[in-house]
Amino acid sequence: MLTQTILVTGGAGFIGSNFVLQWLRREDGTVVNLDKLTYAGNPGNLETVTGDERYRFVQGDICDRKLVSEVLQREHPRAIVHFAAESHVDRSIHGPDDFVRTNVNGTFALLEVARAYWTGLGEVERAGFRFLHISTDEVYGSLGPTDTAFSEAMAYAPNSPYAASKAGSDHLVRAYQHTYGLPTLTTNCSNNYGPHQFPEKLIPLVILHGMQGKPIPVYGDGQNVRDWLYVEDHCDAIRTVLARGRVGETYNIGGRNELRNMEVVETICGILDELRAGDPVMPHSQLITMVTDRPGHDRRYAMDAGKIERELGWRPQETFATGIRKTVEWYLAHEGWIAQVTSGNYRRWMAKQYAM
Ligand code: NAD
Ligand code: DAU
């Protein structure tokens, strides 16, 4: 008998932790979180639910088939929601090995174990089971200024080792549905922002450096475009796809919030000017520092979220203006969280990446 339990991988990271918290607020059933706790995984993101009887944490690697198999046999989940990944493009440029290991080999291992588990279920349970793979818009490559937004029908053209490893995992998921009938779904989402994002990514990095009076690094000419979505809206879309998505389909998710990096940085500086008028460097935009560009830097991403909107009725609730203000306020109110995640390893990464 399948339980109402779901297994989440990578639930201690940025999006995964927001998803676990939202799930426990909005859905029934238990969440089992399998996370290796790499530098990006932080159990503190889930401290408010550690005593909750509907939440269980297992520290482990998705590449560890024996462990994952034991978790599936013990918990009998009705779904796997697969977030676990190496996620930072710049780190994939410095060291792609971990990206291929976790994103490609790890997803492959997870699919193999999930297939064995699913094959052993009864007929009704097999029909109800879902494997939901969380992926990215970066698999589609880069757009020119007037190109139409990425649709699900577009060919993959990944440009960074990160994007290539995610594309590889997407192809494996597709093949497991096509060949073995494993009931998979894939979501490809644009850039997320919100609470718990590790401050190696643009938005939390700008907030932190603004708060601390440090240079705010902007790559290249600052005109690269990203399509920003508040993390709670992404989590809501994932729950929607899990509940009503058609097996074997992929769904693009995006906020229709295309912004140049410089616009994002200036918006955050403006909010900081308002909320931290006493900071030593005012206005905060004086901290903006143009730095060497990211190698192979994709120029523009834009998502056509028409399919999920039409077929499943999902719509984002936050505009960029409302979401970014909430996000800045969250970081300002969580200096303890910041101190915890910006320890030794983080400082070594910053020194390596921004040595120029
Ligand atoms: P993150 O780096 O914040 O978190 C990743 C989590 O996975 C961490 O908790 C880490 O400990 C865990 N993990 C890494 N390797 C593991 C392994 N081998 N076994 C088990 N756990 C492991 O990432 P995120 O930004 O929350 O992204 C989550 C997922 O969403 C990723 O698959 C990413 O590709 C995708 N995605 C992210 C964005 C974004 O803007 N952040 C947008 C679209 C899609
Ligand atoms: O598009 C979805 C993807 O968004 C996810 O799949 C990735 O996991 C996630 O990391 C994110 O990738 P990006 O490379 O777009 O995000 P990042 O925050 O690293 O950078 C956003 C933009 O800001 C990008 O154009 C690079 C630029 N940038 C980034 C950093 C860290 C800067 O100008 N300066 C910086 O210091």
Side-chain angles (χ1 to χ4, degrees):
M1 205 14 207
L2 282 185
T3 60
Q4 278 308 302
T5 300
I6 62 164
L7 174 65
V8 166
T9 70
F14 163 47
I15 305 173
S17 61
N18 279 286
F19 179 80
V20 169
L21 295 173
Q22 188 184 94
W23 184 275
L24 291 170
R25 282 197 311 272
R26 307 276 289 276
E27 306 274 350
D28 295 328
T30 295
V31 181
V32 178
N33 175 14
L34 173 73
D35 195 300
K36 184 178 172 183
L37 297 184
T38 67
Y39 79 94
N42 179 2
N45 290 341
L46 292 158
E47 66 183 358
T48 55
V49 295
T50 41
D52 190 323
E53 59 181 21
R54 292 170 55 216
Y55 173 69
R56 284 196 274 286
F57 177 69
V58 180
Q59 183 169 5
D61 192 326
I62 53 167
C63 299
D64 183 345
R65 295 187 194 198
K66 183 167 172 287
L67 173 74
V68 179
S69 177
E70 281 166 8
V71 171
L72 291 177
Q73 292 308 327
R74 187 173 65 234
E75 300 287 355
H76 267 267
R78 67 175 174 91
I80 297 174
V81 185
H82 176 34
F83 293 93
E86 290 293 335
S87 70
H88 190 36
V89 173
D90 293 321
R91 284 186 193 253
S92 84
I93 295 167
H94 284 283
D97 296 64
D98 284 347
F99 288 73
V100 174
R101 183 186 177 280
T102 286
N103 301 0
V104 182
N105 295 337
T107 301
F108 170 56
L110 192 63
L111 283 164
E112 273 295 90
V113 175
R115 179 165 75 94
Y117 166 72
W118 171 76
T119 305
L121 297 174
E123 201 178 324
V124 176
E125 298 168 327
R126 278 163 61 97
F129 181 77
R130 296 288 182 270
F131 184 105
L132 171 44
H133 175 58
I134 309 301
S135 193
T136 169
D137 58 1
E138 300 202 12
V139 298
Y140 296 115
S142 183
L143 293 169
T146 56
D147 290 341
T148 52
F150 301 128
S151 79
E152 291 83 354
M154 274 185 186
Y156 276 25
N159 288 320
S160 70
Y162 162 70
S165 68
K166 291 297 290 186
S169 66
D170 292 10
H171 290 321
L172 283 167
V173 171
R174 175 190 157 89
Y176 271 63
Q177 200 282 318
H178 190 82
T179 304
Y180 304 113
L182 185 71
T184 68
L185 299 150
T186 297
T187 53
N188 294 84
C189 189
S190 62
N191 285 62
N192 282 216
Y193 66 100
H196 302 172
Q197 189 167 29
F198 194 73
E200 61 187 353
K201 310 279 168 63
L202 179 70
I203 286 183
L205 184 69
V206 173
I207 299 171
L208 251 67
H209 282 207
M211 288 165 73
Q212 295 167 351
K214 292 184 184 163
I216 293 173
V218 176
Y219 296 162
D221 63 2
Q223 300 302 303
N224 301 66
V225 173
R226 296 293 182 266
D227 178 355
W228 294 97
L229 182 70
Y230 191 64
V231 64
E232 289 275 348
D233 280 326
H234 185 193
C235 295
D236 189 44
I238 294 166
R239 289 189 304 111
T240 303
V241 171
L242 188 60
R244 300 199 298 280
R246 285 186 290 132
V247 166
E249 293 290 316
T250 69
Y251 293 91
N252 284 356
I253 304 168
R256 298 186 197 279
N257 279 313
E258 275 188 65
L259 291 166
R260 292 185 171 80
N261 290 340
M262 196 54 93
E263 293 177 273
V264 171
V265 172
E266 282 170 352
T267 302
I268 296 169
C269 287
I271 298 173
L272 287 173
D273 288 348
E274 204 185 301
L275 300 180
R276 302 208 13 141
D279 278 352
V281 181
M282 278 289 286
H284 290 83
S285 58
Q286 281 184 37
L287 295 166
I288 296 174
T289 309
M290 307 311 289
V291 301
T292 310
D293 208 354
R294 172 186 280 176
H297 195 176
D298 283 340
R299 193 65 177 166
R300 174 176 165 239
Y301 303 143
M303 272 308 215
D304 175 355
K307 179 175 172 181
I308 187 173
E309 291 173 355
R310 273 190 315 277
E311 291 190 10
L312 306 181
W314 172 84
R315 290 273 187 298
Q317 300 302 307
E318 300 287 346
T319 62
F320 188 72
T322 59
I324 195 65
R325 181 167 286 273
K326 278 189 188 177
T327 303
V328 175
E329 285 170 351
W330 186 87
Y331 281 89
L332 295 183
H334 289 82
E335 295 210 33
W337 184 93
I338 294 170
Q340 192 199 348
V341 302
T342 52
S343 60
N345 271 339
Y346 177 76
R347 284 201 282 275
R348 276 192 290 282
W349 163 253
M350 295 303 284
K352 185 171 165 184
Q353 171 64 8
Y354 298 97
M356 72 284 206

